Amino acid sequence: MPMLSSRILTLAQPSLRHHARPLFARRLYSSYTNSSSDNLAKQVPYTSESHPHLQRDSRFKKLTSEDIHYFKSVLPPNSVLEADGVNYTEEDLLPYNQDWFKTYRGNSKVVLKPRTVTEVSDILKYCNNEGLAVVPQGGNTSVCGASVPVFDEIVINTSNMNKIRSFDALSGVVTCDAGCILENLDDYLAERNYMVPLDLGAKGCCQIGGNISTNAGGIRFLRYGSLRGNVLGLEAVLPDGTILDNMSTLRKDNTGYDLKQLLIGAEGTLGMVTGVSLLTPRRLKVINAVLFGLNSFDQVQETFVKAKDKLNEILSAFEFWDEPSLYYGQHLTSKDYRVPLEKKYPFYVLVETRGSHEEHDRQKLEAFIEDLFDQGQIGDGVIAQDVAQFNNLWSIRDSLGESWGGGMPMYKYDLGLPVPVLYKIVENLRERLQHHGVLGPNGPAKHVTGFGHIGDGNLHLGIFAERYDDKLASLIEPYVFEFVEKYNGSVTAEHGLGIKNSTFIGYSKSPAMVNLMRSMKSELDPKGIMNPYKVL
Amino acid sequence: MPMLSSRILTLAQPSLRHHARPLFARRLYSSYTNSSSDNLAKQVPYTSESHPHLQRDSRFKKLTSEDIHYFKSVLPPNSVLEADGVNYTEEDLLPYNQDWFKTYRGNSKVVLKPRTVTEVSDILKYCNNEGLAVVPQGGNTSVCGASVPVFDEIVINTSNMNKIRSFDALSGVVTCDAGCILENLDDYLAERNYMVPLDLGAKGCCQIGGNISTNAGGIRFLRYGSLRGNVLGLEAVLPDGTILDNMSTLRKDNTGYDLKQLLIGAEGTLGMVTGVSLLTPRRLKVINAVLFGLNSFDQVQETFVKAKDKLNEILSAFEFWDEPSLYYGQHLTSKDYRVPLEKKYPFYVLVETRGSHEEHDRQKLEAFIEDLFDQGQIGDGVIAQDVAQFNNLWSIRDSLGESWGGGMPMYKYDLGLPVPVLYKIVENLRERLQHHGVLGPNGPAKHVTGFGHIGDGNLHLGIFAERYDDKLASLIEPYVFEFVEKYNGSVTAEHGLGIKNSTFIGYSKSPAMVNLMRSMKSELDPKGIMNPYKVL
């Protein structure tokens, strides 16, 4: 890749001008696999043991053979996976019981795999009548424990609901089942010159129904906004079996309260999403990516402002990370990439553009880079010249998220904060842990790291450690949450509450808000069978 | 303006190439005034008389002098407008009682104008305890009767809550009171190189709180999506006086159910919006507009597809109208404009682009127009060359909406439909009325007209008539709604339900959906005091 080093010449020099090539290939996510299928049962304790404060709700009935008999009567053959030791073992059910980060492990004895909304309705109606708790589950890529049972809840998995129902090439509206894998949906749209307005590391396994239930964010948020804003319609089943058919394909529909919004981001606690209608944007043919090395977080912010000014309508992603994040990305993952800068920087920024005109985009990008160099805002930088280089740059970014599942003990946070203080929490926490002598080569904390989506005010804060340690934990929490509260931030920007964050909701939402949420929950799920022990 | 007539030469000919100039001025809305302040009391009957099927809910208490005394005790001087015949007359309260289309006229005896959320809370808590019904009111520009009382409901008007609270130039997030007038808010943002992602004819009078309560659409929807998707936070008061402080400025916040979504588009029936946090986009400096004359609705659709392909990231509006709509725009409004095409066309399309680079945008626009001419998709066209011409083109479009308030008897519909059948309802209805001998020079119907936002699948269907007529009405309704239902459309795409459309909700929403909406209403407003007789 051509180096744009300030040590040599700025881009204003014609000799260094380079021609960014359009990139038609999408980047690959194949290395992000759901590792919960690994045989690690012995290593992950049951959630009931690791989280003894969680108690099974005695209102819920325990599964009986009559229940299994009923499920088999309403579902097609091979859709009821019962760990009876004959057809299926507990080992077989592990991928459904255990989360991707291997933090939580439920003990469900049955997984149901319906194919239609009617089957989901039959299941929920029965479970509601019988008082059987359930967990709606898509690709099981939740990073806050939202998609696995805590105790013996019945798993209703949407993997068999994976049909694309319709696509309209004029409007770009696609309708599909909740169980469509995000990448498959995007492949389908790619053939039609459209794209999913959502992109995240788990693309190869996560399902659109789960994305919607989490109101997933990701790296296209900056350009296309929240998933919430792109969902035109939902089909969902309430706990009592009522089918809410709101599969509208209309962009505008102001007929009453927008009930689907309640289900978006509810993490399966109010009902189960079975179908989706999504507005998708045109697939832009000209894609470029630039990597910068920067010397301070101030420079990161200035580069962002400049990107909004100069790249404007073609800016499609603006990601940043710090040097220690990169270290773990390089050492804890299977990603194979090269960081194409001559030296190390405290900060890195990956800027992506997507537009419709090769020459125009190149000119805008050059003006942007030129301006940055003129103002001394960047240390060094490279532009991807082909698909391989483009994928290489994104592999760096992808490795950061993957390192969180790399098996090293760590404390993980997904924070929403105003951009000016986004990195301040990393610095403050580093200082605090150093001051208390728990950060450094002698541990227990090794590094405090931060990366994320600048444009969305979203920081992924990770404290890598050599072991879990009570003193260390007490220095991190509630300190991190108090910082978030002070700046009116979010204790979970895009990951959701699940089990992990549910007790921290008070740092981001007032008692009045939480009370109203509880009212909604009681109203829609009076018996509390939907994904219990989570969110509220 | 230069003519791009296919009769002469296509744009591919260098001699006809023209240079679109960047336009920095915003278009003006000053001629769109809230005409409800005209002295037309005698002409508009009370809603209770014109809509005898609406009965006053006997649960609601009638206003007493004690109530007035209480309101005066919690509000600043001159904030309680009581029609006592001394300080204020019924005439003074007419602008608050009567809607913009002069279809509805309530008989409220008091208008409250709080300045703070605490005052709103005090008012609602009292009204809820006393069983006094209220109408939250912003700029009172609703076109479905949502913002005026039906009987004697107390008007809570937000005009005195008009402060901008904060603005962050890095993220573009603005927070403000609900009573900020949309145009004022946009002026404020313009000085900071940002813009409101919402634009509609009533901009000069409507308030952001009302826009949010209606989930208003408008002409920027195509580019910036729904208002719902751009609202980051809300401050609202529930009927019992509870203040919901959710004034987040975060783009991402997945901490529990997104309660603010319930209030967005609820038309003031669940609570009262008092403050808003809004994500605003950069103000793009290069603006162009093109007007085309087209021969068929198929050409309109083809032009839209071409615009998405060729203009892509700079496309900011795509409006269409038919010849009869233009006729009424020219004859029923005060708009002064020239249609700069040499002959008449059955259809017209106004395409607007907003981008950041003059030369790039011009090239994209030229390629778009060239392609249209090459394929014979347009009859004729002009590009605005300066601010005056740009404003002239938008004046044509603005006159269409204004003609609906032009005083001529008419049947008005705001429909959401799949684009391919968007104009079919106009054609079908024309045929139907002709067949029954009620359309033409002898009336009672004069013209069936259609215009709207192609990109959003939003048609404004208007049947202009010489008088209101029972036979005519029975031929229009439920025919129009049955058409909408058949194509899974919306009986109100962007205007809302209000009084006018509330009985038609069943054509767009299933009984299960409506039942759940009713549950939400009962849960949040058990005494039903918030904007009664509307929505549900």
Side-chain angles (χ1 to χ4, degrees):
Chain A
M1 301 188 203
M3 309 299 292
L4 309 176
S5 171
S6 53
R7 285 170 289 112
I8 313 175
L9 282 171
T10 73
L11 266 180
Q13 302 292 332
S15 62
L16 257 197
R17 281 198 184 273
H18 48 81
H19 295 267
R21 286 171 47 188
L23 299 163
F24 295 88
R26 289 165 307 98
R27 62 198 177 93
L28 300 171
Y29 296 79
S30 54
S31 66
Y32 190 108
T33 54
N34 188 337
S35 58
S36 67
S37 60
D38 299 350
N39 182 355
L40 287 167
K42 291 180 198 103
Q43 292 173 309
V44 182
Y46 285 116
T47 307
S48 56
E49 293 163 6
S50 58
H51 294 69
H53 67 282
L54 291 169
Q55 294 292 313
R56 187 182 181 282
D57 189 329
S58 59
R59 287 180 304 170
F60 300 139
K61 187 183 118 171
K62 297 209 172 187
L63 191 74
T64 66
S65 56
E66 284 75 28
D67 302 328
I68 297 290
H69 183 75
Y70 173 80
F71 296 138
K72 287 187 173 169
S73 77
V74 295
L75 292 177
N78 306 317
S79 305
V80 180
L81 285 59
E82 186 198 4
D84 55 7
V86 183
N87 295 301
Y88 299 94
T89 63
E90 294 207 9
E91 201 70 12
D92 293 327
L93 265 55
L94 193 60
Y96 306 94
N97 268 316
Q98 186 171 286
D99 76 318
W100 187 73
F101 275 165
K102 302 188 192 77
T103 307
Y104 303 101
R105 185 177 162 209
N107 194 12
S108 179
K109 301 297 183 199
V110 67
V111 176
L112 307 178
K113 292 191 158 187
R115 284 169 196 271
T116 67
V117 63
T118 313
E119 288 169 14
V120 173
S121 171
D122 286 343
I123 294 167
L124 283 182
K125 191 174 182 182
Y126 180 86
C127 289
N128 196 47
N129 284 339
E130 294 291 317
L132 287 160
V134 303
V135 178
Q137 184 181 74
N140 194 15
T141 59
S142 169
V143 291
C144 59
S147 57
V148 286
V150 176
F151 299 99
D152 57 346
E153 301 92 278
I154 292 167
V155 176
I156 311 179
N157 184 290
T158 49
S159 297
N160 283 343
M161 305 181 76
N162 54 13
K163 288 185 195 61
I164 289 169
R165 302 186 190 177
S166 70
F167 177 71
D168 175 43
L170 184 70
S171 60
V173 177
V174 66
T175 65
C176 67
D177 289 352
C180 287
I181 289 173
L182 189 61
E183 191 164 42
N184 295 352
L185 187 58
D186 197 50
D187 287 344
Y188 172 90
L189 291 168
E191 290 170 17
R192 289 149 184 87
N193 279 322
Y194 280 86
M195 62 182 279
V196 179
L198 170 74
D199 194 353
L200 39 86
K203 193 171 183 171
C205 341
C206 65
Q207 298 174 7
I208 189 68
N211 297 142
I212 282 167
S213 299
T214 315
N215 188 32
I219 56 175
R220 297 278 167 266
F221 193 101
L222 177 66
R223 175 73 166 261
Y224 298 111
S226 70
L227 186 53
R228 190 180 288 285
N230 291 294
V231 174
L232 299 185
L234 276 190
E235 177 193 80
V237 183
L238 296 184
D240 66 1
T242 301
I243 296 171
L244 284 188
D245 180 3
N246 187 204
M247 281 292 275
S248 169
T249 58
L250 305 168
R251 286 200 70 174
K252 287 179 177 172
D253 177 22
N254 279 349
T255 50
Y257 313 145
D258 195 357
L259 297 173
K260 67 175 179 292
Q261 299 294 340
L262 265 182
L263 290 155
I264 299 174
E267 304 180 34
T269 62
L270 297 179
M272 182 154 169
V273 174
T274 55
V276 182
S277 164
L278 201 62
L279 180 70
T280 71
R282 283 266 156 160
R283 201 169 199 93
L284 291 162
K285 289 190 285 282
V286 185
I287 309 177
N288 285 292
V290 195
L291 175 74
F292 294 118
L294 302 171
N295 292 310
S296 70
F297 188 69
D298 279 349
Q299 283 191 345
V300 174
Q301 291 186 73
E302 285 155 13
T303 306
F304 176 58
V305 171
K306 193 66 74 185
K308 289 217 292 182
D309 263 346
K310 296 283 179 183
L311 301 174
N312 219 310
E313 67 267 26
I314 62 166
L315 180 63
S316 60
F318 194 103
E319 302 285 305
F320 92 101
W321 57 90
D322 60 11
E323 170 59 27
S325 292
L326 180 61
Y327 172 85
Y328 289 101
Q330 288 175 306
H331 291 88
L332 286 183
T333 72
S334 58
K335 289 272 183 244
D336 182 28
Y337 58 77
R338 195 174 66 83
V339 181
L341 299 177
E342 288 184 356
K343 65 183 190 94
K344 288 183 179 179
Y345 288 88
F347 293 93
Y348 299 87
V349 158
L350 179 57
V351 182
E352 189 196 75
T353 64
R354 291 184 179 234
S356 59
H357 196 292
E358 184 178 348
E359 181 66 14
H360 293 174
D361 291 9
R362 189 184 60 75
Q363 285 175 9
K364 287 191 177 88
L365 204 54
E366 281 179 2
F368 164 60
I369 295 170
E370 212 163 296
D371 211 63
L372 286 176
F373 271 115
D374 283 352
Q375 301 195 6
Q377 280 175 345
I378 45 177
D380 203 355
V382 288
I383 301 191
Q385 296 290 304
D386 55 29
V387 178
Q389 292 183 358
F390 178 85
N391 287 340
N392 180 68
L393 292 188
W394 271 110
S395 281
I396 304 174
R397 170 60 184 84
D398 286 349
S399 75
L400 313 175
E402 207 179 308
S403 73
W404 281 30
M408 193 160 162
M410 71 178 297
Y411 300 86
K412 311 172 182 98
Y413 304 91
D414 162 44
L415 309 177
L417 282 166
V419 178
V421 298
L422 194 66
Y423 199 72
K424 195 173 150 67
I425 178 65
V426 180
E427 293 165 339
N428 284 14
L429 191 62
R430 229 172 242 161
E431 204 172 295
R432 177 178 168 85
L433 300 186
Q434 259 157 3
H435 175 76
H436 285 88
V438 294
L439 175 65
N442 300 321
K446 307 298 284 182
H447 276 112
V448 180
T449 67
F451 68 94
H453 321 281
I454 275 282
D456 317 330
N458 186 184
L459 176 80
H460 300 307
L461 166 70
I463 301 100
F464 287 87
E466 49 184 23
R467 63 175 190 282
Y468 290 105
D469 180 276
D470 283 347
K471 183 184 173 194
L472 175 59
S474 73
L475 286 167
I476 298 173
E477 291 181 21
Y479 180 79
V480 166
F481 299 124
E482 285 167 356
F483 183 96
V484 168
E485 187 176 36
K486 181 177 168 189
Y487 291 102
N488 296 315
S490 172
V491 294
T492 177
E494 61 177 11
H495 291 170
L497 292 167
I499 308 172
K500 183 171 177 279
N501 301 313
S502 60
T503 51
F504 310 124
I505 189 173
Y507 289 100
S508 290
K509 291 284 156 67
S510 67
M513 296 283 289
V514 176
N515 283 342
L516 188 51
M517 289 183 204
R518 293 217 168 97
S519 298
M520 295 290 120
K521 172 74 175 174
S522 302
E523 181 69 27
L524 271 80
D525 183 23
K527 293 188 175 180
I529 64 160
M530 298 302 300
N531 217 4
Y533 322 109
K534 292 156 193 168
V535 179
L536 292 174
Chain B
M1 300 188 204
M3 309 300 292
L4 308 175
S5 172
S6 54
R7 284 171 289 113
I8 312 174
L9 283 171
T10 74
L11 267 180
Q13 302 294 329
S15 62
L16 255 199
R17 277 196 188 275
H18 48 83
H19 296 267
R21 286 170 50 189
L23 299 164
F24 295 87
R26 292 165 306 100
R27 63 197 176 92
L28 301 172
Y29 297 80
S30 55
S31 66
Y32 190 108
T33 53
N34 187 338
S35 58
S36 67
S37 60
D38 299 350
N39 182 356
L40 287 166
K42 292 180 198 100
Q43 293 173 308
V44 181
Y46 286 116
T47 307
S48 56
E49 293 162 9
S50 58
H51 295 69
H53 67 282
L54 291 170
Q55 294 292 312
R56 187 182 182 281
D57 190 329
S58 58
R59 286 180 304 169
F60 299 138
K61 188 182 116 173
K62 296 210 172 187
L63 191 74
T64 66
S65 56
E66 285 75 29
D67 302 328
I68 298 288
H69 183 76
Y70 174 79
F71 296 137
K72 287 186 172 169
S73 77
V74 295
L75 292 177
N78 307 317
S79 305
V80 179
L81 284 58
E82 185 198 5
D84 56 5
V86 183
N87 295 301
Y88 299 95
T89 64
E90 294 209 6
E91 201 69 14
D92 293 328
L93 265 56
L94 193 59
Y96 307 94
N97 268 316
Q98 186 171 287
D99 77 318
W100 187 73
F101 275 165
K102 302 189 191 74
T103 306
Y104 304 101
R105 185 178 162 209
N107 193 14
S108 179
K109 301 298 183 199
V110 67
V111 175
L112 307 178
K113 292 190 157 186
R115 284 168 198 272
T116 67
V117 62
T118 313
E119 289 169 11
V120 173
S121 171
D122 286 343
I123 294 168
L124 284 181
K125 191 173 181 182
Y126 179 86
C127 289
N128 196 48
N129 285 338
E130 294 291 318
L132 286 160
V134 303
V135 178
Q137 184 181 75
N140 194 14
T141 58
S142 169
V143 291
C144 59
S147 56
V148 285
V150 176
F151 299 98
D152 57 345
E153 301 93 277
I154 293 167
V155 176
I156 311 179
N157 184 291
T158 49
S159 297
N160 283 343
M161 305 181 75
N162 53 13
K163 289 185 194 62
I164 289 168
R165 302 186 189 177
S166 70
F167 176 72
D168 176 42
L170 185 69
S171 60
V173 177
V174 67
T175 65
C176 67
D177 289 352
C180 287
I181 289 173
L182 189 61
E183 191 165 41
N184 295 352
L185 187 58
D186 197 50
D187 287 343
Y188 173 91
L189 292 167
E191 290 168 17
R192 289 147 183 89
N193 280 321
Y194 281 85
M195 62 182 277
V196 179
L198 171 74
D199 194 353
L200 38 85
K203 193 170 184 172
C205 340
C206 66
Q207 298 173 8
I208 189 69
N211 297 143
I212 282 167
S213 299
T214 315
N215 187 32
I219 56 174
R220 298 278 167 265
F221 194 102
L222 177 68
R223 175 72 166 262
Y224 298 111
S226 70
L227 186 53
R228 189 180 288 286
N230 291 294
V231 174
L232 299 184
L234 275 191
E235 177 192 81
V237 183
L238 296 184
D240 66 1
T242 301
I243 297 172
L244 283 188
D245 180 4
N246 188 203
M247 281 292 277
S248 169
T249 58
L250 305 167
R251 286 200 69 174
K252 288 180 178 173
D253 177 22
N254 279 349
T255 50
Y257 313 145
D258 195 356
L259 297 173
K260 67 175 178 291
Q261 298 294 341
L262 265 182
L263 290 155
I264 299 174
E267 304 179 35
T269 62
L270 297 178
M272 181 154 168
V273 174
T274 55
V276 181
S277 165
L278 200 64
L279 180 70
T280 71
R282 283 267 157 159
R283 200 169 201 94
L284 291 162
K285 289 190 284 283
V286 186
I287 309 177
N288 285 293
V290 196
L291 175 74
F292 295 118
L294 302 171
N295 292 310
S296 68
F297 188 68
D298 278 350
Q299 283 191 344
V300 174
Q301 290 186 73
E302 285 155 14
T303 306
F304 177 58
V305 171
K306 193 66 73 183
K308 290 217 293 183
D309 263 347
K310 296 284 178 180
L311 301 174
N312 220 311
E313 66 267 26
I314 62 166
L315 180 63
S316 59
F318 194 101
E319 302 286 305
F320 92 101
W321 57 91
D322 59 11
E323 170 59 26
S325 292
L326 180 61
Y327 171 84
Y328 288 102
Q330 288 175 305
H331 291 89
L332 286 184
T333 73
S334 58
K335 289 272 185 242
D336 182 27
Y337 58 76
R338 196 173 65 84
V339 181
L341 299 176
E342 288 185 357
K343 64 182 191 97
K344 288 184 179 180
Y345 289 87
F347 293 94
Y348 299 87
V349 158
L350 179 57
V351 182
E352 189 198 74
T353 65
R354 292 186 177 233
S356 59
H357 196 292
E358 183 179 347
E359 181 66 14
H360 293 173
D361 291 8
R362 189 184 59 76
Q363 285 175 8
K364 287 190 177 89
L365 205 55
E366 281 179 1
F368 164 60
I369 295 169
E370 212 164 295
D371 211 63
L372 285 177
F373 270 115
D374 284 353
Q375 300 195 6
Q377 280 174 345
I378 45 176
D380 203 354
V382 287
I383 301 191
Q385 296 289 303
D386 55 30
V387 177
Q389 292 183 358
F390 178 85
N391 288 339
N392 180 69
L393 292 187
W394 272 110
S395 281
I396 305 175
R397 169 61 183 81
D398 285 349
S399 75
L400 312 175
E402 207 179 306
S403 73
W404 281 30
M408 194 160 160
M410 71 178 297
Y411 300 85
K412 311 173 182 95
Y413 303 91
D414 162 44
L415 309 176
L417 283 166
V419 178
V421 298
L422 194 66
Y423 200 72
K424 195 171 148 69
I425 178 65
V426 181
E427 294 165 338
N428 285 14
L429 191 62
R430 232 173 242 161
E431 204 173 296
R432 177 178 168 85
L433 299 187
Q434 259 157 2
H435 177 76
H436 286 87
V438 294
L439 175 65
N442 300 323
K446 307 297 285 183
H447 276 111
V448 181
T449 67
F451 68 94
H453 321 282
I454 275 283
D456 317 330
N458 186 184
L459 176 79
H460 300 307
L461 167 69
I463 300 99
F464 287 87
E466 48 184 22
R467 65 177 189 279
Y468 290 106
D469 180 277
D470 283 349
K471 183 184 174 193
L472 176 58
S474 73
L475 286 167
I476 298 172
E477 290 181 21
Y479 180 79
V480 166
F481 298 124
E482 285 167 357
F483 183 96
V484 169
E485 187 176 35
K486 180 177 169 188
Y487 291 102
N488 295 314
S490 171
V491 294
T492 177
E494 61 177 10
H495 291 171
L497 291 167
I499 309 172
K500 182 172 177 276
N501 302 311
S502 60
T503 50
F504 310 124
I505 190 173
Y507 289 100
S508 289
K509 291 284 155 67
S510 68
M513 296 283 288
V514 177
N515 283 342
L516 187 51
M517 288 184 206
R518 293 217 167 97
S519 298
M520 295 291 120
K521 171 73 176 175
S522 302
E523 182 70 26
L524 271 80
D525 183 23
K527 293 188 176 178
I529 65 160
M530 298 302 299
N531 217 3
Y533 322 110
K534 292 157 191 167
V535 180
L536 292 174

